[in-house]
Amino acid sequence: MAKGIIWATAEDLARNRGRVISLYRQILRSLNSPNLPLSFAARLAKKAEVRAIFMLASEERSLHNIEDLIDTAEYSLSLLRKGEIPKYIQ
């Protein structure tokens, strides 16, 4: 993300699209892990929360906020892989 100074350009958004979609899918898959102490209904609710977060974040145009959102998604994914539920989706 180097083209836009503060606001994301179309190139910046296109460059991050694959990474964001990959993180989204990995988080949804991680919520199905048997290591998480969630019932079926709780898993569906968590998946709905993740979808809502990513849908709202898809309208973000600030480069710094986009980087923060990606960092947060990667951190949350690392927690899910350890069998923990991140606080923002608890």
Side-chain angles (χ1 to χ4, degrees):
M1 283 197 277
K3 283 277 187 186
I5 296 174
I6 295 175
W7 303 108
T9 63
E11 278 182 37
D12 294 327
L13 296 175
R15 190 176 307 118
N16 288 315
R17 187 171 192 270
R19 185 174 175 197
V20 170
I21 290 172
S22 174
L23 285 168
Y24 171 71
R25 289 178 179 163
Q26 288 178 49
I27 289 173
L28 288 180
R29 273 190 240 119
S30 295
L31 285 170
N32 285 332
S33 171
N35 296 338
L36 295 176
L38 296 173
S39 66
F40 179 72
R43 287 179 201 281
L44 290 178
K46 298 300 177 200
K47 287 181 181 183
E49 285 182 49
V50 170
R51 284 186 191 100
I53 290 168
F54 273 82
M55 206 174 339
L56 289 173
S58 70
E59 297 178 9
E60 185 58 56
R61 296 295 180 245
S62 166
L63 288 175
H64 301 291
N65 290 347
I66 292 170
E67 288 175 10
D68 288 344
L69 290 167
I70 290 172
D71 289 342
T72 302
E74 289 173 345
Y75 175 71
S76 298
L77 185 58
S78 71
L79 287 178
L80 286 169
R81 286 182 176 155
K82 292 178 188 175
E84 300 173 25
I85 302 172
K87 292 217 185 277
Y88 75 92
I89 61 169
Q90 274 187 349

